[in-house]
Amino acid sequence: MNKLLNKGQSIFNKYIGFFFLSVFLLWLKTYFVQLTQFQLGIENTLQKFLLFFNPLGSSLIFLGISAFFKGRKKYTVMMIIYFLLSFLLYANVLFYRFFNDFITLPTLTQTQNFGDVSGSVLTLLRPYDILFFVDFIVLVALLAFRFVKVEVKDIKRRKISVLYSLALVISCVNLSLAELDRPQLLTRGFDRNYIVKYLGMYNYTIYDAVKSTHASAQRVMASSDDITEVINYTKSNYAEPNPATFGAGKGMNVIYLHLESFQNFLINYKLNGEEVTPFLNSLIKDQNTMYFDNFFHQTGQGKTSDAEFMLENSLFGLPEGSVFTTKGLNTFQAAPAILGQNGYTSAVFHGNSGSFWNRNEIYKSLGFDKFFDANYYQINSADEAEYGLMDKPFYQQSIPLLESLPQPFYTKFITVANHYPYAMNQKDATIAPATTGDKSVDGYFQTARYADEALRQFFDYLKKSGLYNHSIIIMYGDHYGISENHNKAMAQILGKEISPFDNAGLQRVPLFIRVPGMQGGVNHEYGGQVDLLPTLLHLLGIDTKDYVQFGTDLLSKQHDSLVAFRNGDYVSPTIYSVDGKYYDSTTGLKLESDKLPEAKKYKQLVQEKLTFSDKVVNGDLLRFYTPKNFTPVDRTKYDYNPTHQNSNEKTTDNK
C-alpha cells in the first residue's frame, strides 16, 4: 500500500503528472457545471457524450501553455490559467442566472453598468458557490504545503508537440462529432447555447472572441457599395401605409412609456382572484387604444438597450453585446432625428445614471435634444429602486421637465420599478406576492402592480393637462421579466408545464398604442419591436420608403408577420421555430413533414434579415447613405449636462 502511495506521489512530483491531474480536475468540474448550471437542451446520447467530452481538449490546450515556461514558472502560470478558467466558468454561471445567456466579449465592455447591477449580483449568489473553486484551492495547497514537489527541469519541445497534437486531435474529434449532429454549427451560430453544448465553455469563448473581432473589423472593411444590397432588400420588403391610418396622428405629441420587464401574460391575469394590472386591462376597452396581443420582444444580450435601439431605428440589436455600448458613435437615422427635422423636440426621461447602457453618448448619435437622467431628479433612499427612481415619484418629478418642452414633442419615459430581482418595500405593495417559493417570481406581481398604479397616476396628469387628447401614447414591454430559469415556478403560475413552444409564447410583451380620434380595439397581428418605428412614422404621416428599416408598419395590409428573434428562431401566425424544431402556432404540436419546407423557408428569411441588419450596424453603413429630406446627425450639437441643457432652454423653444 505504501509503495502504491509513494508511486502515486512520485508521479505527481513530475510536472507532467501534476499537469494531467490539473487537466482532469478542470475537465470534470467544467463538465458538472455545464451539466447542472446551464439549460443546454441535451436531447440524445451523442450530445450527452459531447457535453462530457468537450472540456478535455480545451483544458489541455489552455493549461498546456504553462509547459512553455521554465523552472518553477511552469506551475505558477498553470495555476494562474487554472484560476482564470475557473473564474470565467463561474462568471458565466452568474451571468446565466441573471440573463439566461453567456458572456460575450462585447458585454465585457459594458463596465459602466457594473456598479449599477451590484445589488442584483448579490441575489444570484448561492451557498454552494464556493465549490466552484475547491479544486483550485486543493491544487494550490498541494504545491504550497509541498505535498507535491516542484520539478524545475524544463519540458522538452518534443513532449510539448506531442501534448498539443493530442489536444488538437481531441478538439478535431469533438468538432467532427458536433458537425454530425448539428451541421454548420460554427457558420450558423446564432444561438450561443449550441456552441457551449457541443464545444464547451472554453471553446465557446474562443469562438466568441473571433466573431467579435470579425464584427469590429467589418467597419474598417466596409464601403459605399455594401449599402446598395441592403437598400434593395429593405425597399423590396417595404410595406405601404394603410390609407385609413396614415397621418391619423399627424402633428401630435408622441409619448413612449417603457414597461420594464413586462410580459404579456400579466394582462388580464388574476392572482388569487385579483387583477395584477387593472389599469392596463382597462385600456383594452378604451375606444382610441389599440392593444396588440401577439407582440414580441426581440432583444438579445442588450435587453433594455436592444428594445430602445429597435424602436428608435427599426434595426436589430447585435448577436453579442449591446449596440448602445459598442456602436455608440455609429451613424443612425433614428426617430428623434427624423422627427426633429419635422418640427419635433425630443427628450428621454430616466431616473438612473445617464452612463448606464452608454445612453448619454448614443443618444447624441440618435439625435435626442434632451436627456433628463438622475441628475434632474431628487432621489432619496425611500424612493430608490435597484436601478434608479421608483415609478411614482419618477413620473411626478418628470412633469415639470415635460412641461418645459415645446410642442410637438417626441418623448420616452424609462421606468425601473418592475426590474429584477422584483423586490420592493412591502408598505408600498398593494397586492400579495405569489406563493411558488421562487423569490423573483413571487415578487414580480407586486412590482408589476406598482408599475401599473404609477401609469394610472401619470395618465391622470395627462388628462388634466390636456396632453391626453393631443398625444400619441405608446406603451411597450421591453423584454421578458421571468426567464426560462424559473419555468418550474411559472408552471405553478400558469397551471401547466412550460414546453419550448410555451416559452416562445411567453416572449410576448404588451403593446398599447393610443391615437386620439382613431378606432382602437384588440389587434391580433403578429409583430415585434423592430416594427414600432415604421408604424409610428406612418401614423404621423411620414412615409418610410426611403429609410433603411427592417420592420414594417403593423397597421399596413402588407405587414410582414414573420417575427425574427435574435438567435435565429421565429414566430408567425402559422409556425413557431424553437431550438431547431418547428411547431404549429395554434396547437403547439410539432409539424408534420409536409409543412417543414415552409418552416425552413421562413428560417432562411429570418437569417437573411438578421444578416443584413448586422451588416448595417457592424459596418456602420448608414454613413454611406442619406435618405431624401434627411440631414445626418451632428453629435457635437448635443450636451446633456444639466447646466448646458438649462442654458439652452430658450434656444430649444425657438427651434
Side-chain angles (χ1 to χ4, degrees), residues 4 33 45 57 76 114 121 134 157 186 226-227 326 329 356 360 441 443 456 482 495 546 567-568 570 598 607 621:
L4 285 173
V33 170
T45 303
T76 302
F114 290 172
V121 170
V134 165
R157 297 290 176 180
L186 297 181
D226 296 321
I227 192 65
T326 61
L329 299 180
F356 197 80
N360 55 1
V441 174
R456 178 181 56 78
I482 306 299
D546 291 326
N567 66 354
Y570 65 81
E598 181 185 4
Q607 186 169 345
L621 297 185

Side-chain angles (χ1 to χ4, degrees), residues 43 263 294 296 484 487 494 496-508 526 565 569-591:
E43 298 172 342
Q263 285 174 254
N294 284 313
F296 293 79
E484 291 179 68
N487 275 356
L494 300 179
K496 63 176 180 177
E497 290 298 314
I498 310 299
S499 68
F501 171 80
D502 293 323
N503 191 68
L506 283 171
Q507 305 316 303
R508 288 181 175 88
Y526 271 65
F565 292 143
D569 287 344
Y570 65 81
V571 293
S572 76
T574 56
I575 299 171
Y576 281 22
S577 168
V578 186
D579 294 336
K581 296 182 177 60
Y582 303 103
Y583 302 86
D584 183 286
S585 64
T586 304
T587 65
L589 299 175
K590 286 187 180 179
L591 289 184

Side-chain angles (χ1 to χ4, degrees), residues 232-246:
N232 290 337
Y233 173 83
T234 54
K235 283 188 178 297
S236 66
N237 288 276
Y238 163 74
E240 293 183 358
N242 186 333
T245 57
F246 186 73

Side-chain angles (χ1 to χ4, degrees), residues 80-91:
I80 290 173
I81 294 172
Y82 197 103
F83 175 78
L84 291 175
L85 293 175
S86 298
F87 182 80
L88 173 68
L89 190 63
Y90 181 57

